Amino acid sequence: LMTHTPVVSERRLQALRDTVNRRDRSRAPMEFSLMYSAQHRSGEILMGDGSVTDLSHLGLGIRGNTVVMPGMELALFLYLPDGQDPLFVMETKVAWTSGCQFGVEIMEMGLREGNRLRHFLCSTLTPSE
């Protein structure tokens, strides 16, 4: 009776894998530098820099040199390879961390910055988006 159970969980695993891979496809893999900062409750300022590993208009993957914790709020300066000043992202929240890699969700950014990010993404993402 129990013989079909592993097959179901294997299928479920595959569906999960497909979902994860699908998410990766909607994010443009790229590499450019950024700076990030957070303010601890103690008032102490945390500063870090690193590189963006993937990007969407909802969030980014980052490889950084300063450890952050899930739930932390970070401000970002993105050095987009578009020759302009760094793009300032007012507020992001750390969604996950794994060693020196972490992902952030964009919570708030200015209208001009948002438009610039969208324009940058449109120009770098493949038309299959």
Side-chain angles (χ1 to χ4, degrees), residues 26-27 55-60 92 104-107 117 121:
S26 68
R27 285 194 170 190
L55 176 67
S56 78
H57 62 283
L58 300 174
L60 341 76
T92 69
V104 299
E105 181 188 352
I106 296 174
M107 308 304 279
L117 181 62
L121 283 167

Side-chain angles (χ1 to χ4, degrees), residues 23 27 53-54 58-64 68-72 74 76 92-106:
R23 175 182 163 270
R27 285 194 170 190
T53 55
D54 62 76
L58 300 174
L60 341 76
I62 297 167
R63 187 166 46 246
V68 296
M69 299 298 188
M72 253 185 182
L74 304 179
L76 309 179
T92 69
K93 188 172 267 182
V94 178
W96 58 267
T97 63
S98 173
C100 62
Q101 303 232 7
F102 60 95
V104 299
E105 181 188 352
I106 296 174

Side-chain angles (χ1 to χ4, degrees), residues 71-129:
M72 253 185 182
E73 287 181 3
L74 304 179
L76 309 179
F77 289 91
L78 306 179
Y79 296 93
L80 296 181
D82 62 4
Q84 297 181 51
D85 287 337
L87 176 69
F88 176 58
V89 184
M90 227 176 298
E91 194 184 314
T92 69
K93 188 172 267 182
V94 178
W96 58 267
T97 63
S98 173
C100 62
Q101 303 232 7
F102 60 95
V104 299
E105 181 188 352
I106 296 174
M107 308 304 279
E108 194 181 330
M109 67 193 304
L111 195 61
R112 280 182 55 224
E113 287 83 0
N115 287 339
R116 183 174 155 204
L117 181 62
R118 267 191 296 280
H119 177 78
F120 174 73
L121 283 167
C122 286
S123 63
T124 49
L125 279 177
T126 50
S128 66
E129 235 319 70

Side-chain angles (χ1 to χ4, degrees), residues 26-38:
S26 68
R27 285 194 170 190
M30 54 185 69
E31 187 110 3
F32 58 85
S33 53
L34 87 159
M35 279 177 54
Y36 54 95
S37 70

